[in-house]
Amino acid sequence: MKKIIINTMLLFAAIISFSGCIKQENYVIQGLQVEFDAASWNARGAGVTYPILTRVPPYGMPVATTDPLITRASGTIRFRVNLIGAQQPTQQTLNYSVITSASTAVSGTHFTIPGTIVIPPNSSFGEAVINVINPGVSSATPVLLVLEVTGNNLVKPATELNKIGIQISQL
């Protein structure tokens, strides 16, 4: 019985001495930033720093197999953009654009974009709109559209969360 008590005490002492506290670090974001909601919820694509989406993601959730596929017949697709930081009393108009060096999709053939996002006053969200065009010719090769939100003078892009890739099926 003595050995059991001694061993239990030694085990308890070892657990106490080998455990430690993890210092909690608080992160404070200076200024305002903007990110694609889908970039914060979905894994990055192979070899790139942004997710490549084949399905329309729901707001505030990762893409699931039940979400609609992005095809040449998808029409208008909306992607939520998040304002990181304090809500602003005035409307914020942000810019977004296509990274042509990373995209195989052609503007006017596969898609059009307005290029601006509006975040209403006292809100944390806006929408990037992509109008998918059906080029009429079916192909087994999908096209890739890579978008980047660049912000404005007040709102800066969030590092590594300001890009998304959209793979448009041509079947």
Side-chain angles (χ1 to χ4, degrees):
M1 185 69 170
K2 260 187 173 179
K3 283 188 177 187
I4 293 173
I5 293 173
I6 291 173
N7 287 339
T8 304
M9 291 176 69
L10 286 174
L11 180 62
F12 182 71
I15 290 172
I16 295 295
S17 64
F18 290 123
S19 66
C21 296
I22 298 172
K23 181 180 175 183
Q24 180 179 358
E25 295 185 29
N26 294 322
Y27 296 99
V28 178
I29 296 174
Q30 301 295 327
L32 297 171
Q33 295 181 2
V34 65
E35 69 180 7
F36 278 110
D37 187 61
S40 64
W41 285 100
N42 295 285
R44 295 177 179 155
V48 294
T49 60
Y50 48 86
I52 298 177
L53 306 171
T54 58
R55 296 179 177 273
V56 180
Y59 291 167
M61 296 177 66
V63 174
T65 56
T66 56
D67 296 327
L69 285 169
I70 301 172
T71 69
R72 62 191 185 125
S74 291
T76 300
I77 302 173
R78 300 176 187 280
F79 293 91
R80 185 166 80 176
V81 174
N82 302 328
L83 177 66
I84 304 169
Q87 293 180 349
Q88 297 300 297
T90 58
Q91 172 179 299
Q92 295 298 310
T93 303
L94 310 170
N95 299 311
Y96 69 108
S97 60
V98 177
I99 302 176
T100 55
S101 61
S103 298
T104 58
V106 178
S107 179
T109 301
H110 300 110
F111 71 94
T112 60
I113 62 168
T116 57
I117 301 164
V118 174
I119 298 180
N122 303 314
S123 178
S124 296
F125 308 106
E127 288 183 332
V129 176
I130 296 95
N131 299 306
V132 178
I133 300 172
N134 187 344
V137 178
S138 180
S139 169
T141 305
V143 294
L144 180 64
L145 171 63
V146 181
L147 298 176
E148 175 180 36
V149 64
T150 54
N152 62 20
N153 292 338
L154 180 64
V155 182
K156 304 300 177 205
T159 307
E160 294 191 21
L161 297 175
N162 66 326
K163 297 178 187 131
I164 57 171
I166 302 162
Q167 185 170 305
I168 305 168
S169 173
Q170 296 299 298
L171 292 176

